[in-house]
């Protein structure tokens, strides 16, 4: 399936879920403040519409931020220590570096004016303040738009307190209620006859947007006069004579409580149990985690449909098919109800069991045709995996945490979450006895994600050695890009020993053992290439490709393609090099291996130059700079950092002239990651079929 690719770094904003209503003055104010203020925080009570307004404002401001507008949704984040990981993930920065992650983020974002939207900060307030303060200090062209019930407390912060919508027969509250009512009941329209009742409903709900939206959906089962009557009677039960009006937070809770009362007992039970999920769920997960007692698994799909009709849960149409989620305020209400039922521990335990099973299934099928599917599925379930990991670490026995953190080795290592994986593995290992199967697995996984590419001096020496080799062998290129390969494959024998100790065996059984066997072939190919034995390197790399193809595996096969391509350059076969390198790049991008993609892009520079395409090679020098930023190692994308890039810059500048070379590099560097991949694969930064 082809996907259009824009050349600008547009960001990651999701489509707006529905028509935005009202708040014209606030939108104008936000737009003006973002031009003059580096940190703007929208504050206000729950349900007042902070997140929705921030999303609308971010969409409106996109053209002012060529560096991108990036949304970091924090509502599902339970561990404040993972805030930087959440920012890295949202801004598409791969965590494959031992450097401080915040340093990598600052370098990654330091590329022109950009806007970072931090949504729902109040539960990780202190860490948000610390991270935002450092980002603003180190990224000069950054603007931050935050939403929080409390200020972040950062110097220079500008606060915009959001009030409920204005009331009155012609005010924004009535317009919002009318729009949502018409969406729920297409025959509904605001008329002179019903306008007074609509205004009364809005006044009863204090103009709180979430309460208005919940009430509008009730028109599916109640005429307007009955809806108003129901609100009056419900509120009268909770209002004391001394307090004729409810506080706004109590108004919202009362409105949610009224929606809760209109649910059937089984719908209420499912609502409570669904509150254990973070970041959404699919039907299979809901059936496993939420069944039990009076609630049969076979009933859950129908109950989900009913809760969707009532706007308690929403279906994500633009995401994985059949995926659902709840708004924060509604989920909190369900969590309180679950605790009141005394089921919290049991449902959380089932949630942990389900995601332990998911991790095991993914590990078993990782080296197979489902690899891309599992990379995408676990990325979608990342928030739930974090919940399960925290639950396993809180368990009295250490084995669940050891098993889960260790089993996820492929997610940490191959999908770009090495930094986060190290943190979880270290926490699990600290509280566990040695000499157990779980401890062995977690130790191996920790070594795998700790041997990462950070030694630029070593990279320089490898690259320099290849300049010498190219000159000695009179190869048709001035340097060969083994820097990226040595970093990404972890090919040095010393590093291999660090991973596997003195034994020749990898982890016992499972996908980890198979992965070790394939990694051994990749190491052999690397070492043969380092000796200039390109014929033998090609043979080993082809064996690696065949072994991976037999399994339907992509991640490691791409390294086989890489070394076949490298051998093609060394043997003077640029057609072989181009074909294999493009296959490697497409595979690395599909499975979210940004480090591997950057390394392969460097190889394509050499392949294009060898094929007599200096202008395309120069563009790829710029593309490589962009991709090394995405991988969190921008220094390896600097033309002056490694001998490989310096030599190719000299070679291509001579071929194209100063102006042609500079313009081609600038063009490649200015592309967003997707457009950069498209250019590398087919020579045009327009469309890529992955």
């Amino acid at each position: 399936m082809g996907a259009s690719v824009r050349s600008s770094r547009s960001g990651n904003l999701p489509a707006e879920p529905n028509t935005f209503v009202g708040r014209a003055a606030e939108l104008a104010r936000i737009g003006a403040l973002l031009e003059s203020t580096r940190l703007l925080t929208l504050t206000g009570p729950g349900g007042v519409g902070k997140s929705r307004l921030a999303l609308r404002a971010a969409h409106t401001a996109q053209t002012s931020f060529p560096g991108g507008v990036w949304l970091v949704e924090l509502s599902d984040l339970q561990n404040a220590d993972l805030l930087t990981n959440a920012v890295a993930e949202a801004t598409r920065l791969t965590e494959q570096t031992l450097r401080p992650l915040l340093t990598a983020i600052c370098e990654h974002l330091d590329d022109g004016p950009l806007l970072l939207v931090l949504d729902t900060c109040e539960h990780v307030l202190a860490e948000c303040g610390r991270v935002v303060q450092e980002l603003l200090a180190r990224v000069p062209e950054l603007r931050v738009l935050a939403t929080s019930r409390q200020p972040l407390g950062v110097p220079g912060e500008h606060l915009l307190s959001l009030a409920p919508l204005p009331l009155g027969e012609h005010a924004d509250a009535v317009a919002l209620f009318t729009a949502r009512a018409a969406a729920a009941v297409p025959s509904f329209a605001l008329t002179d006859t019903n306008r007074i009742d609509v205004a009364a409903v809005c006044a009863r709900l204090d103009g709180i947007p979430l309460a208005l939206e919940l009430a509008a959906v009730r028109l599916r089962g109640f005429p307007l006069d009955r809806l108003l009557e129901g609100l009056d009677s419900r509120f009268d039960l909770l209002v004391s004579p001394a307090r004729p009006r409810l506080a706004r937070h109590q108004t919202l809770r009362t409105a949610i409580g009224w929606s809760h009362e209109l649910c059937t007992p089984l719908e209420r039970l499912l609502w409570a149990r669904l509150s254990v999920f973070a970041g959404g769920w699919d039907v299979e997960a809901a059936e496993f985690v939420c069944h039990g007692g009076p609630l049969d698994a076979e009933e859950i799909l129908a109950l989900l449909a009913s809760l969707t009709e009532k706007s308690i849960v929403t279906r994500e149409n633009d995401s994985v098919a059949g995926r659902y989620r709840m708004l924060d305020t509604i989920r909190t209400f369900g969590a309180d109800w679950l605790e009141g039922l005394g089921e919290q521990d049991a449902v959380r335990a089932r949630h942990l069991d389900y995601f332990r099973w998911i991790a095991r299934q993914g590990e078993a099928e990782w080296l197979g045709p489902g690899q891309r599917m599992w990379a995408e599925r676990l990325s979608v379930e990342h928030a739930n995996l974090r919940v399960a990991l925290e639950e396993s670490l809180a368990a009295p026995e250490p084995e669940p945490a050891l098993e889960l953190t260790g089993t996820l080795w492929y997610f940490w290592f191959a999908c770009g979450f090495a930094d986060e994986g190290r943190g979880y593995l270290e926490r699990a290992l600290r509280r566990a006895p040695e000499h157990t199967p779980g401890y062995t697995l977690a130790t191996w996984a920790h070594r795998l994600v700790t041997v990462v590419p950070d030694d630029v001096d070593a990279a320089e020496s490898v690259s320099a050695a290849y300049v010498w080799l190219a000159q000695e062998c009179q190869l048709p290129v001035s340097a060969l890009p083994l820097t990226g390969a040595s970093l990404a494959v972890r090919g040095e024998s010393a590093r291999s020993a660090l991973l596997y100790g003195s034994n020749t065996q990898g982890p016992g059984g499972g996908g980890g053992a198979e992965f070790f066997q394939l990694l051994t072939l990749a190491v052999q190919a690397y070492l043969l290439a380092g000796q200039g034995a390109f014929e033998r390197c090609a043979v080993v790399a082809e064996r690696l490709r065949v072994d991976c193809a037999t399994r339907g595996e992509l991640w490691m096969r791409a390294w086989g393609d890489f070394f076949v391509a490298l051998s093609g350059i060394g043997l003077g076969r640029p057609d072989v090099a181009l074909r294999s390198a493009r296959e490697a790049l497409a595979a690395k991008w599909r499975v979210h291996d940004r480090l591997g993609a950057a390394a392969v892009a460097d190889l394509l520079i050499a392949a294009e130059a060898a094929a007599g395409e200096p202008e395309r090679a120069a563009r790829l020098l710029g593309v490589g700079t962009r991709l090394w930023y995405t991988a969190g190692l921008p220094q390896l994308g600097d033309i002056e950092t490694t001998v490989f890039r310096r030599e190719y810059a000299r070679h291509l500048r001579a071929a194209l002239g100063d102006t042609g070379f500079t313009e081609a590099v600038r063009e490649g560097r200015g592309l967003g990651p997707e457009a950069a991949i498209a250019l590398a694969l087919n020579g045009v930064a327009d469309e890529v079929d992955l």
Side-chain angles (χ1 to χ4, degrees), residues 41-55:
T41 303
L42 306 183
T43 61
V48 80
K50 300 184 295 295
S51 297
R52 186 67 180 87
L53 177 61
L55 181 60

Side-chain angles (χ1 to χ4, degrees), residues 97-134:
T97 169
L98 278 177
R99 295 181 306 144
L101 185 56
L102 194 53
T103 297
I105 292 171
C106 291
E107 293 172 345
H108 177 57
L109 298 181
D110 192 13
D111 191 35
L114 76 159
L115 176 64
L116 192 66
V117 183
L118 299 177
D119 186 30
T120 314
C121 299
E122 57 268 6
H123 62 300
V124 286
L125 199 64
E127 185 66 2
C128 273
R130 184 188 72 82
V131 169
V132 166
Q133 188 166 354
E134 187 158 354

Side-chain angles (χ1 to χ4, degrees), residues 423-466:
Y424 279 121
L425 286 158
E426 286 164 4
R427 289 172 64 190
L429 288 166
R430 277 198 299 266
R431 59 192 297 267
E434 299 183 19
H435 311 303
T436 66
Y439 189 90
T440 301
L441 175 62
T443 300
W444 176 80
H446 185 260
R447 287 173 177 167
L448 188 67
V449 298
T450 301
V451 181
V452 295
D454 275 326
D455 190 345
V456 178
D457 291 336
E460 173 75 358
S461 67
V462 172
S463 189
Y466 266 82

Side-chain angles (χ1 to χ4, degrees), residues 274-438:
L274 290 170
S275 68
V276 300
F277 288 104
W281 64 87
D282 59 22
V283 174
E284 179 187 78
E287 288 175 343
F288 185 96
V289 174
C290 299
H291 82 281
L295 187 55
D296 293 332
E298 294 77 12
E299 299 176 279
I300 286 178
L301 179 58
L303 290 169
L304 274 174
S306 181
L307 289 174
T308 303
E309 283 285 308
K310 293 178 170 67
S311 291
I312 303 304
V313 304
T314 57
R315 182 161 179 166
E316 299 180 339
N317 294 324
D318 61 344
S319 183
V320 178
R323 196 162 181 85
Y324 302 81
R325 68 182 303 141
M326 277 192 287
L327 290 174
D328 253 8
T329 313
I330 293 174
R331 184 175 63 190
T332 299
F333 188 98
D336 291 343
W337 194 261
L338 186 68
E339 186 174 7
L341 293 173
E343 291 194 357
Q344 194 174 41
D345 291 344
V347 180
R348 282 181 174 174
R350 286 203 297 273
H351 182 277
L352 172 58
D353 287 343
Y354 179 75
F355 285 99
R356 286 171 66 189
W357 176 77
I358 287 291
R360 288 195 296 267
Q361 286 294 106
E363 199 264 357
E365 298 178 22
W366 178 252
L367 297 178
Q371 187 175 83
R372 182 180 181 183
M373 180 275 290
W374 279 108
E376 293 173 351
R377 182 172 185 182
L378 266 66
S379 293
V380 168
E381 296 289 9
H382 198 168
N384 278 311
L385 288 172
R386 285 170 171 162
V387 170
L389 286 158
E390 294 294 341
E391 187 70 17
S392 71
L393 287 162
E397 297 298 323
E399 277 301 312
L402 290 171
E403 180 204 354
L404 183 55
T405 56
T407 301
L408 284 170
W409 63 265
Y410 59 99
F411 183 59
W412 311 132
F413 178 77
C415 296
F417 299 106
D419 181 82
E420 182 173 333
R422 279 192 296 275
Y424 279 121
L425 286 158
E426 286 164 4
R427 289 172 64 190
L429 288 166
R430 277 198 299 266
R431 59 192 297 267
E434 299 183 19
H435 311 303
T436 66

